[in-house]
C-alpha cells in the first residue's frame, strides 16, 4: 500500500515529548511501507509563529533522526490556495461573514458547547429573504453555514480511523465553524484539509485531541472535491497530573533533553515500544 504521512507542527514553541511521539508514529507508518514522510509547518498564526521555532523543529527532528522527504511546506506560503477555496465556497453561498467578537459569543447564554467550546449561535448567519449586504469593511471572519453545507454534501459521509474503525461524519455538532479568521484568509480546518490533499497525504497521524475536527475535514473534502485520507488518531501523552502533556504540566522540550545529554536513539526506541520516558504517561485513547 502506498503511504504518504506527515508531521504538521505549529511553530509556536519548541517540540516536546508529545510531538516526538506523534512524529515517530507518522514517520514509521510511512517508512515501514517504503512510503514518504513529509513535514509541514502550520504557521498561519502570524502573531504566535516564530522563525526560531521553525528552525527548532527541523533541528529537533534531525536530532531524533527522523528524516523527512522533499521540501518543507509552509502554510504561510499557501494563502492564495486557501483564499481560492474560500472564494469557491462563498460563490456557492456556503460561508458567511461574521462580525461577532469572542466575548459576544461567550456571553450568548444559549450557546451549547461542542468539542471546541461554545457552538456559534448563528447571530450573523444570513436568513433567506433578508437582503442588506454586510459591510465587509468591518473586521469579520468567515463561517461555514453548517446546515447548508451538510445539505449540499448530500450523502452520508464517512471516514476511517485505524483504532476506531469506520466513523459516520457528524460535523453538525460543531456548528458554523470558522474557515477564515479576521487576520488570515484561512483557519486550521480549511488549511489542513487543503494541504493534506495538496501534499498527497494518504495517512493522517495525529493526536486524539483532533478526532472531532476530522468530522469537519471530511465535510470540507466533500465540498471541495478532495480525497479523504485514512486517519490514525493516537492517544495523547499525559503529564504527571493526568492531563494532556504540555509545557504547563512539565513536558520536557527535546532541546532540553538534548542539552542534558539524552540519547535520541534510546528515546525513540522507548517511544516506539510504548514506554513513555521522563515522567510522562499515556492518556485515554
Ligand atoms: N498543527 C497542528 C498542531 O500542531 C496539527 C495539525 C494536524 O496534525 O492535523 O496541533
Amino acid at each position: 500500500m502506498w503511504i504518504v504521512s506527515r508531521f504538521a507542527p505549529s511553530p509556536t514553541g519548541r517540540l516536546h515529548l508529545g510531538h516526538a511521539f506523534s512524529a515517530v508514529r507518522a514517520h514509521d507508518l510511512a517508512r515501514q511501507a517504503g512510503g514518504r514522510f513529509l513535514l509541514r509547518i502550520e504557521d498561519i498564526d502570524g502573531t504566535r509563529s516564530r522563525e526560531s521555532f521553525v528552525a527548532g523543529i527541523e533541528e529537533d527532528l534531525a536530532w531524533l533522526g527522523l528524516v523527512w522527504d522533499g521540501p518543507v511546506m509552509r502554510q504561510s506560503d499557501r494563502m492564495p490556495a486557501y483564499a481560492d477555496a474560500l472564494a469557491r465556497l462563498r460563490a456557492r453561498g456556503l460561508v458567511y461573514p461574521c462580525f461577532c467578537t469572542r466575548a459576544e459569543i461567550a456571553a450568548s447564554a444559549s450557546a451549547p458547547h461542542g468539542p471546541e467550546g461554545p457552538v456559534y449561535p448563528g447571530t450573523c448567519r444570513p436568513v433567506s429573504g433578508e437582503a442588506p449586504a454586510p459591510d465587509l469593511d468591518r473586521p469579520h471572519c468567515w463561517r461555514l453555514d453548517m446546515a447548508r453545507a451538510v445539505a449540499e454534501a448530500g450523502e452520508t459521509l464517512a471516514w476511517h480511523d485505524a483504532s476506531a474503525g469506520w466513523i459516520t461524519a457528524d460535523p453538525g455538532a460543531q456548528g458554523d465553524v470558522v474557515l477564515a479568521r479576521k487576520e488570515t484568509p484561512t483557519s486550521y480546518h480549511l488549511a489542513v484539509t487543503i494541504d493534506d490533499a495538496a501534499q498527497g497525504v494518504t495517512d493522517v497521524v495525529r493526536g486524539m485531541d483532533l478526532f472531532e475536527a476530522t468530522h469537519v475535514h471530511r465535510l470540507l473534502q466533500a465540498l471541495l472535491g478532495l480525497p479523504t485520507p485514512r486517519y490514525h488518531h493516537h492517544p495523547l501523552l499525559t503529564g504527571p497530573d493526568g492531563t494532556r502533556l504540555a509545557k504547563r504540566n512539565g513536558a520536557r522540550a527535546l532541546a532540553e533533553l538534548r542539552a542534558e545529554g539524552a540519547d535520541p536513539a534510546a528515546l525513540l526506541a522507548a517511544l516506539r515500544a510504548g514506554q513513555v520516558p521522563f515522567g510522562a504517561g499515556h492518556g485515554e485513547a
Side-chain angles (χ1 to χ4, degrees):
M1 193 169 17
W2 176 240
I3 293 196
V4 180
S5 69
R6 48 58 162 193
F7 178 53
S10 304
T12 54
R14 289 304 295 244
L15 297 185
H16 58 64
L17 281 174
H19 296 111
F21 184 62
S22 201
V24 72
R25 290 177 90 119
H27 170 273
D28 290 0
L29 187 77
R31 290 283 177 255
Q32 281 161 7
R36 287 166 63 78
F37 170 64
L38 309 178
L39 175 61
R40 182 168 74 228
I41 301 294
E42 302 217 318
D43 57 351
I44 56 172
D45 186 341
T47 57
R48 294 178 61 227
S49 299
R50 299 268 176 280
E51 280 310 307
S52 59
F53 292 138
V54 177
I57 287 166
E58 298 193 1
E59 196 180 294
D60 293 341
L61 290 178
W63 175 67
L64 282 172
L66 300 181
V67 179
W68 61 89
D69 293 306
V72 177
M73 179 179 272
R74 296 277 298 250
Q75 289 192 325
S76 52
D77 293 335
R78 307 255 315 136
M79 296 300 170
Y82 310 141
D84 175 66
L86 190 73
R88 285 193 280 140
L89 295 173
R90 194 178 159 192
R92 288 151 71 189
L94 296 177
V95 293
Y96 62 87
C98 169
F99 304 89
C100 297
T101 63
R102 224 177 269 256
E104 281 165 352
I105 296 168
S108 142
S110 61
H113 272 62
E116 291 180 14
V119 170
Y120 181 62
T123 321
C124 292
R125 189 188 306 130
V127 179
S128 55
E130 180 203 17
D135 174 7
L136 295 180
D137 288 336
R138 284 167 58 207
H140 60 278
C141 68
W142 288 91
R143 289 184 180 275
L144 184 66
D145 187 328
M146 185 58 85
R148 271 191 198 207
V150 167
E152 173 139 339
E155 48 169 346
T156 305
L157 303 173
W159 48 279
H160 190 267
D161 178 79
S163 307
W166 281 102
I167 306 284
T168 301
D170 180 21
Q174 300 180 53
D176 294 356
V177 292
V178 172
L179 292 194
R181 299 188 203 150
K182 284 185 178 146
E183 333 68 51
T184 358
T186 189
S187 68
Y188 163 66
H189 290 310
L190 187 62
V192 83
T193 303
I194 292 174
D195 288 345
D196 282 334
Q199 289 188 292
V201 171
T202 61
D203 290 76
V204 171
V205 178
R206 61 184 176 200
M208 273 304 289
D209 54 329
L210 292 169
F211 190 93
E212 300 297 330
T214 307
H215 292 292
V216 176
H217 302 171
R218 180 66 189 88
L219 174 61
L220 291 175
Q221 287 152 9
L223 296 173
L224 295 168
L226 303 174
T228 302
R230 295 177 286 266
Y231 289 90
H232 306 251
H233 293 96
H234 58 72
L236 299 174
L237 295 194
T238 53
D241 60 356
T243 66
R244 178 188 181 182
L245 190 63
K247 241 188 277 167
R248 79 190 136 66
N249 63 0
R252 304 295 308 278
L254 299 177
E256 219 180 294
L257 298 173
R258 174 180 166 198
E260 288 169 13
D263 173 5
L267 173 56
L268 275 189
L271 290 171
R272 283 185 173 124
Q275 293 153 7
V276 200
F278 306 106
H282 276 295
E284 293 302 307

